[in-house]
Amino acid sequence: MDFMPLNGRQFPRFSGIKTFYRLPYVTDPNLDFNVAIMGAPSDAGVSYRPGARFAPSAIRDISSLGRSYHWNHDIHVFKKLKCADVGDSSVDPLSIENTLTLIEQNSFDWIQAQKKLLTFGGDHSVTLALLRAFKRYHKTPLNFIHFDAHLDTYPAAWGHEYHHGSFVRHAIEEGLINPSSSLQIGVRGPLAGDEDLNVNIKYNLKYITTDEIKIEGLKEISKKLSHFNGPTYLSFDIDCLDPAYAPGTGTPVPAGLTSFEALWLIRQLSISNLVGADVVEVSPPFDQSQITALLAAQVGHEFLAKML
Ligand code: MN
Ligand code: MN
């Protein structure tokens, strides 16, 4: 198997069975390839608009437009990196606890076979399961880079600890990530109250707000991006973007990043060992003309380039 996308001259981009980036569909972890690309179709942790369970299918569909060559980095991503669509993790739509267990098990199978993992959610609660699997394998807390409008360090909601707005707090409390070597990018208000910052203060979890990015400018902000040494995980909540650029999401927040700003910031990140990444919170029922799903597919391509 050559692990290359389906040839667009032989099978035009509107044709063929839809896999991520038209890559081969693989179910055997023992095959020799580098990156497993998985869907995690769960929105069991959503507090407002549901629909993220449909994102892996929608992103597979529009990722037909993906191209291999990364112009800025001068890399033929799919020639350098053997990638495969490994299908969706199983989930339990009636139980977030079961879903977290299933996603942790499914992702661990690929991680244990020494694959890097790119996951398309799902709502942001799926990242907790993925981080549990990576911690289980690496046995050390990971560096964590987190694009989001929200801090996702919030308390239990309706008495439930696990939801899409609490996974960062759980990841810190469970020792899955090292907060002092982590960074949140694109966060902005309004918050429920200033106590929403308590977790960041308590654990010295740093953040760069959208206001800082917009007012100081991309070049100034890129100087604040330190090098990430050691196993690093990158999580991209599509709502870090302005709803004008990413309307298809569960909890939109106005005055966000543009597509260009988000992609440019990803390119500036210096990461020695990116072991896993995800793109979450795409909600196709609220999307327009597939623009949110298209951006998610391109963010995934950026992450693959970072894995090289
Ligand atoms: Mn989030
Ligand atoms: Mn968010």
Side-chain angles (χ1 to χ4, degrees):
M1 198 180 284
D2 65 1
F3 293 97
M4 288 297 286
L6 207 58
N7 184 327
R9 291 293 173 263
Q10 193 179 2
F11 296 99
R13 292 180 180 278
F14 49 81
S15 69
I17 294 170
K18 301 299 186 182
T19 58
F20 290 122
Y21 309 101
R22 295 157 60 89
L23 290 162
Y25 172 53
V26 160
T27 55
D28 180 1
N30 298 314
L31 286 181
D32 178 26
F33 64 102
N34 309 112
V35 185
I37 308 180
M38 185 179 82
S42 168
D43 52 22
V46 165
S47 54
Y48 188 54
R49 300 198 304 211
R53 66 180 64 182
F54 300 111
S57 299
I59 296 166
R60 280 190 179 94
D61 184 13
I62 197 68
S63 76
S64 293
L65 280 176
R67 299 286 205 284
S68 174
Y69 179 64
H70 195 300
W71 192 351
N72 308 71
H73 293 317
D74 185 23
I75 305 169
H76 254 294
V77 172
F78 296 120
K79 284 186 185 170
K80 288 269 184 194
L81 207 59
K82 289 183 189 171
C83 303
D85 187 327
V86 300
D88 288 345
S89 169
S90 50
V91 296
D92 176 347
L94 300 183
S95 164
I96 189 167
E97 284 80 9
N98 289 350
T99 293
L100 293 175
T101 303
L102 288 165
I103 294 173
E104 181 185 346
Q105 282 167 356
N106 281 245
S107 55
F108 189 75
D109 289 342
W110 300 103
I111 297 165
Q112 191 175 34
Q114 293 175 2
K115 310 297 187 244
K116 290 175 186 271
L117 190 64
L118 171 62
T119 305
F120 288 100
D123 72 54
H124 223 155
S125 65
V126 306
T127 303
L128 183 64
L130 295 159
L131 289 170
R132 283 174 178 166
F134 277 102
K135 169 70 192 304
R136 177 149 49 118
Y137 180 75
H138 289 282
K139 297 183 172 62
T140 177
L142 279 78
N143 307 322
F144 184 61
I145 308 169
H146 173 203
F147 285 82
D148 206 320
H150 308 94
L151 298 160
D152 289 352
T153 53
Y154 309 124
W158 298 282
H160 298 284
E161 270 297 332
Y162 299 105
H163 58 85
H164 68 162
S166 65
F167 83 94
V168 173
R169 178 170 56 81
H170 287 293
I172 295 171
E173 289 170 355
E174 293 180 25
L176 311 179
I177 61 174
N178 180 358
S180 61
S181 60
S182 297
L183 179 64
Q184 299 182 296
I185 301 171
V187 288
R188 56 191 180 270
L191 303 173
D194 60 1
E195 67 277 7
D196 275 359
L197 289 164
N198 287 353
V199 171
N200 289 74
I201 294 164
K202 180 177 175 185
Y203 296 106
N204 187 29
L205 171 59
K206 293 179 286 300
Y207 53 81
I208 297 174
T209 63
T210 301
D211 294 40
E212 290 174 81
I213 296 166
K214 295 279 185 184
I215 290 163
E216 293 180 33
L218 289 173
K219 280 197 170 171
E220 280 305 308
I221 287 296
S222 69
K223 292 177 192 163
K224 294 184 181 176
L225 301 173
S226 53
H227 177 70
F228 292 87
N229 223 342
T232 301
Y233 191 91
L234 190 40
S235 183
F236 191 93
D237 183 330
I238 205 85
D239 71 26
C240 71
L241 290 142
D242 191 278
Y245 294 86
T249 192
T251 322
V253 184
L257 301 176
T258 66
S259 310
F260 174 80
E261 287 164 342
L263 295 172
W264 196 88
L265 285 167
I266 294 167
R267 288 172 197 151
Q268 308 315 308
L269 293 171
S270 172
I271 305 168
S272 62
N273 183 20
L274 181 61
V275 293
D278 62 50
V279 185
V280 297
E281 296 285 345
V282 173
S283 180
F286 295 95
D287 205 359
Q288 303 288 330
S289 304
Q290 298 174 287
I291 59 175
T292 314
L294 176 61
L295 183 69
Q298 184 159 346
V299 169
H301 183 257
E302 294 289 341
F303 287 174
L304 293 171
K306 284 276 147 197
M307 287 177 176
L308 277 162

